[in-house]
């Protein structure tokens, strides 16, 4: 458990200023199936899904002053400064009644990881890592058809490079702390979810016992 302090909400309003939350980071390369499996976990285990990428895309749509910068970074497959993404995550956590969150696609680099920890004081319960070969991820992204501006071959290659150079070291960091639960994400959706369930079920059984 960690505590999210909402400094923009001190002393007034209906949101709690300090909220204890349990967080699981959901990581893996672009197209590894993070969003797909988070939807299954939400349905079966009562977590709230927060996708950092979705929050950034919503921020662009909202007409925010950061919108153009975020949009340019996403088109280039680059990582948006932590300060921006962490504010969006903190707000989403504060505004949600749940206390259990899947944070999908974050932390994406060492700056994300260190800043989130120092700003929120939250350590993840564990990191769910969807491991998938690049050829399979590329095939999935090119077939996704959700109109994402970054699902084109040029940006996909840039995103793979960023994943290898900046995101994998974060997974290695958590692995050195014994926190990574690695899933073979190259299998069909149902089989991947069976492996995910095996990670979540023991925790639920312990609570029920
Ligand atoms: N195990 C799977 N087998 C085949 N296709 C899959 C599998 N999991 C997800 N997909 C499909 O692959 C595409 C990418 O999946 P998804 O959006 O869940 O990935 P993601 O990791 O969230 O990607 P991104 O990092 O780009 O947001 C989607 O079209 C999804 O339906
Ligand atoms: N922590 C993050 C997460 C995402 N981004 C940017 O959004 C793009 C799409 O992310 P998905 O998880 O939805 O694939 C990503 O390529 C980054 O440009 C980010 O900056 N920081
Ligand atoms: Mg996704």
């Amino acid at each position: 458990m960690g505590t999210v302090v909402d400094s923009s909400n001190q002393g007034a309003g209906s949101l709690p200023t300090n909220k204890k939350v349990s967080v699981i980071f959901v990581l893996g390369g672009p197209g590894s199936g993070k969003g797909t499996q988070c939807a299954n976990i939400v349905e079966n285990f009562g977590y709230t899904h927060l996708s950092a990428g979705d929050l950034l895309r919503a921020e662009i749509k909202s007409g925010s002053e950061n919108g153009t910068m975020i949009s340019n970074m996403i088109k280039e497959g680059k990582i948006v400064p932590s300060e921006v993404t962490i504010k969006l995550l903190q707000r989403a956590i504060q505004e949600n009644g749940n206390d259990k969150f899947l944070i999908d696609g974050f932390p994406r680099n060492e700056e994300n990881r260190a800043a989130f920890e120092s700003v929120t004081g939250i350590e993840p319960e564990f990191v769910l890592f969807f491991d998938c070969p690049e050829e399979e991820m590329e095939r999935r992204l090119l077939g996704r058809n959700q109109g994402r501006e970054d699902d084109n071959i040029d940006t996909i290659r840039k995103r793979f490079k960023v994943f290898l150079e900046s995101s994998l070291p974060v997974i290695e960091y958590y692995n050195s702390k014994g926190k990574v639960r690695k899933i073979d994400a190259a299998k069909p959706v149902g089989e991947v979810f069976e492996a995910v369930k095996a990670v979540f079920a023991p925790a639920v059984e312990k609570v029920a016992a």
Side-chain angles (χ1 to χ4, degrees):
M1 277 276 187
T3 307
V4 173
V5 180
D6 178 7
S7 53
S8 66
N9 184 43
Q10 295 210 333
S14 57
L15 300 176
T17 51
N18 292 296
K19 178 177 174 182
K20 279 195 188 305
V21 295
S22 167
V23 160
I24 293 167
F25 289 146
V26 182
L27 302 178
S32 58
K34 301 179 294 295
T36 302
Q37 295 300 330
C38 282
N40 288 334
I41 299 166
V42 165
E43 246 180 62
N44 287 267
F45 297 102
Y47 281 78
T48 292
H49 174 208
L50 299 179
S51 154
D54 286 350
L55 289 170
L56 290 166
R57 284 182 285 272
E59 187 69 358
I60 299 170
K61 277 204 187 137
S62 76
S64 135
E65 57 178 356
N66 285 324
T68 307
M69 178 273 290
I70 297 171
S71 174
N72 289 335
M73 302 288 273
I74 289 180
K75 278 182 204 150
E76 284 302 311
K78 290 184 180 161
I79 299 171
V80 171
S82 300
E83 173 195 333
V84 172
T85 315
I86 290 171
K87 268 194 195 137
L88 296 174
L89 286 168
Q90 278 189 298
R91 190 168 70 200
I93 290 171
Q94 285 292 341
E95 288 177 357
N96 195 288
N98 204 348
D99 63 357
K100 302 195 304 183
F101 294 90
L102 301 168
I103 300 192
D104 159 0
F106 184 99
R108 217 53 164 232
N109 61 8
E110 174 57 21
E111 189 213 359
N112 272 184
R113 186 200 66 71
F116 185 79
E117 197 181 305
S118 76
V119 170
T120 69
I122 295 174
E123 274 269 338
E125 303 299 311
F126 59 84
V127 172
L128 196 59
F129 167 38
F130 291 108
D131 187 30
C132 194
E134 259 188 28
E135 318 82 79
E136 174 64 12
M137 296 195 289
E138 183 179 307
R139 199 181 57 75
R140 291 179 189 175
L141 292 174
L142 290 174
R144 180 154 59 182
N145 272 332
Q146 286 177 0
R148 274 180 55 165
E149 297 231 56
D150 54 351
D151 280 351
N152 59 79
I153 194 62
D154 285 352
T155 311
I156 287 170
R157 297 221 163 110
K158 290 177 184 165
R159 291 158 72 197
F160 286 161
K161 190 164 186 286
V162 168
F163 175 69
L164 289 178
E165 290 175 357
S166 304
S167 310
L168 263 184
V170 174
I171 295 165
E172 278 153 16
Y173 168 85
Y174 285 117
N175 197 34
S176 74
K177 299 182 96 187
K179 289 210 161 191
V180 171
R181 310 289 180 266
K182 181 166 149 179
I183 304 284
D184 178 358
K187 294 181 175 162
V189 173
E191 284 180 41
V192 176
F193 189 53
E194 286 306 310
V196 169
K197 276 199 275 191
V199 171
F200 280 82
V204 170
E205 273 163 25
K206 264 189 222 154
V207 171

